[in-house]
Amino acid sequence: MKKFLITLLLLMISPVYAADIQEMAGQLIMVGFVGNKVKSKGFKTVLRQLDNNQITGVIFFEDNIKNKDEFKKMTNAVKNSKAKHKPLIAIDMEGGIIQRMNSKNGFEDFKTAKEVSKLTENEAYIEYDKLAKMLKEAGINYNLAPCVDLSVNQNSIIEKKERSYSSNPKTVVKYAKQFIKAHHDNNILTSIKHFPGHGSSEGDTHLGFVDATGVYKDEEIYPYLELANIDSKQTVMISHIFNRNIDYEYPASLSFNTIQKYLRLQTDFKGVTITDDLNMGAIEKNYSLNETVVLAINAGENILLWSNRKPSDLSLPEKINYIIQAEVIDGNISIETLEESYNKVLKLKENL
């Protein structure tokens, strides 16, 4: 009944948009799932949601990968789904502690960013070309990396986990370029992260609210100035960091000031933005699902990402889609804003 009423109201607004609204909303939604087999309930659910154009793609985590053969079956199933638009098949593979495909599940291990920074640029490219080829062979077309945070706080989780190349922004750019080039040469999309910078703060947004107001450094935007517009395969991941100097009310991922006024104006970036995981404590503990969806879309986020881990909600994409449709009806999300993100995502997918 709820779905019928939403469709009826949309028809009253515009018959054209009533037919397209679910598809447009779906292209803004990426989710994870629980399971490591093609026959897993969680995987069969996201596959059905792809077939129904309710999601733009799927993100895989380490516990989704049992072995090479089963993983390839899953990525092939996603690639060959009935989705109207090519699905994004995403993973988070930086190297070091952040590598979902590794020697434990039949793949290779790769160096941390800190270790890579000790290599020559050519050696770094060789390391990342090997990584990109491994992803491509496994069926991945979107790597949510590299991390371009600066190591400007020795107590930050970025430094402790060796996820930064350096405290020097030029060094970060030098090695991130090799990561990006290797991936783009293998036709894999990338996402520089975590805008506007996670290297100066000590907290962990996985767990809760993190305020970078007093520690954020202006040079943290430098990698984005240099790398955001490399080519059409580049995207930018927005963090959940709060910085009162940029937005006095909202964390970056939900902030119009951060995305539209800071990122897009400062870097002239016209490509796709993607949220960091919206299941993280920084968001889930402070905002309802409805608030998160409305704020993120109106802030200028183009893809909204939920890891949807344990406890997993199999109907999460449907709930998000209904929220978007209802908020369009109520005038809290404009059709123009929704359509702009939809078009950006489709343009990105032209690279696949």
Side-chain angles (χ1 to χ4, degrees):
M1 177 60 73
K2 182 178 179 182
K3 184 176 181 180
F4 171 76
L5 290 173
I6 289 174
T7 303
L8 183 62
L9 288 168
L10 285 167
L11 280 168
M12 293 170 65
I13 297 173
S14 166
V16 175
Y17 281 121
D20 296 343
I21 191 72
Q22 184 188 51
E23 179 198 330
M24 286 197 291
Q27 288 303 303
L28 275 64
I29 304 167
M30 179 182 285
V31 295
F33 64 97
V34 173
N36 58 17
K37 299 178 181 178
V38 172
K39 294 183 179 180
S40 298
K41 184 176 181 180
F43 181 73
K44 288 196 293 184
T45 300
V46 293
L47 204 58
R48 173 179 55 77
Q49 290 162 345
L50 277 169
D51 289 342
N52 293 336
N53 299 304
Q54 293 172 314
I55 57 177
T56 193
V58 180
I59 181 169
F60 289 88
F61 290 87
E62 185 172 2
D63 57 72
N64 297 132
I65 307 171
K66 183 179 181 180
N67 54 54
K68 282 187 178 181
D69 291 341
E70 197 65 33
F71 184 43
K72 188 67 179 289
K73 288 178 184 177
M74 288 193 288
T75 58
N76 275 334
V78 172
K79 181 180 179 180
N80 297 320
S81 70
K82 298 175 184 177
K84 182 176 180 179
H85 306 288
K86 291 181 180 179
L88 296 172
I89 310 172
I91 201 163
D92 197 347
M93 283 285 293
E94 298 173 21
I97 195 170
I98 311 297
Q99 48 185 347
R100 316 306 186 189
M101 300 160 63
N102 52 58
S103 59
K104 295 178 182 178
N105 50 31
F107 293 94
E108 292 183 55
D109 293 330
F110 291 87
K111 299 179 186 297
T112 67
K114 189 172 184 178
E115 290 170 335
V116 169
S117 71
K118 296 182 175 73
L119 304 177
T120 66
E121 289 178 72
N122 184 59
E123 288 170 337
Y125 179 86
I126 292 170
E127 172 84 356
Y128 289 137
D129 182 59
K130 186 166 63 172
L131 167 58
K133 281 179 166 57
M134 185 181 78
L135 298 184
K136 187 175 182 178
E137 171 62 24
I140 296 295
N141 60 24
Y142 188 16
N143 189 357
L144 301 181
C147 176
V148 296
D149 294 325
L150 307 187
S151 180
V152 290
N153 184 338
Q154 296 304 301
N155 294 317
S156 74
I157 59 168
I158 298 299
E159 170 59 25
K160 288 179 179 178
K161 295 183 178 180
E162 297 191 1
R163 296 176 69 184
S164 175
Y165 294 108
S166 174
S167 60
N168 185 324
K170 291 185 178 180
T171 300
V172 169
V173 167
K174 180 170 70 173
Y175 287 101
K177 274 186 176 178
Q178 301 309 313
F179 186 106
I180 293 164
K181 186 178 188 303
H183 280 71
H184 292 188
D185 285 351
N186 284 283
N187 206 38
I188 296 175
L189 309 176
T190 53
S191 188
I192 49 177
K193 61 186 182 183
H194 309 78
F195 187 85
H198 206 314
S200 56
S201 56
E202 294 184 16
D204 186 347
T205 51
H206 289 84
L207 305 177
F209 181 82
V210 176
D211 189 346
T213 302
V215 295
Y216 184 78
K217 300 182 185 303
D218 290 341
E219 59 261 35
E220 293 185 63
I221 196 177
Y222 180 84
Y224 299 93
L225 294 170
E226 295 294 314
L227 301 171
N229 297 303
I230 278 184
D231 63 32
S232 60
K233 296 184 181 74
Q234 185 71 285
T235 69
V236 175
M237 176 179 282
I238 312 298
S239 75
H240 303 317
I241 290 291
F242 177 78
N243 187 338
R244 193 177 298 276
N245 297 313
I246 301 174
D247 192 315
Y248 65 88
E249 187 172 3
Y250 298 112
S253 56
L254 308 182
S255 167
F256 180 90
N257 287 346
T258 303
I259 299 169
Q260 301 290 58
K261 291 186 177 181
Y262 195 41
L263 172 64
R264 296 207 185 272
L265 286 182
Q266 291 293 322
T267 70
D268 196 34
F269 179 64
K270 294 180 173 61
V272 166
T273 59
I274 181 170
T275 69
D276 206 343
D277 179 12
L278 292 167
N279 280 128
M280 288 183 182
I283 302 301
E284 276 202 334
K285 292 179 181 179
N286 296 290
Y287 301 93
S288 68
L289 180 61
N290 203 103
E291 289 173 323
T292 298
V293 171
V294 174
L295 287 169
I297 292 175
N298 285 336
E301 294 282 19
N302 306 129
I303 298 176
L304 281 59
L305 169 65
W306 280 269
S307 59
N308 201 21
R309 316 303 295 149
K310 300 174 182 178
S312 177
D313 182 354
L314 296 177
S315 63
L316 181 62
E318 286 94 337
K319 290 177 181 177
I320 299 165
N321 209 300
Y322 292 162
I323 287 171
I324 294 172
Q325 294 180 59
E327 296 298 339
V328 167
I329 292 169
D330 290 343
N332 296 322
I333 297 174
S334 71
I335 290 177
E336 291 77 16
T337 297
L338 182 62
E339 191 170 23
E340 182 180 359
S341 284
Y342 170 76
N343 287 333
K344 283 182 182 292
V345 173
L346 293 195
K347 188 174 181 179
L348 176 68
K349 289 187 173 186
E350 290 175 2
N351 293 289
L352 301 179

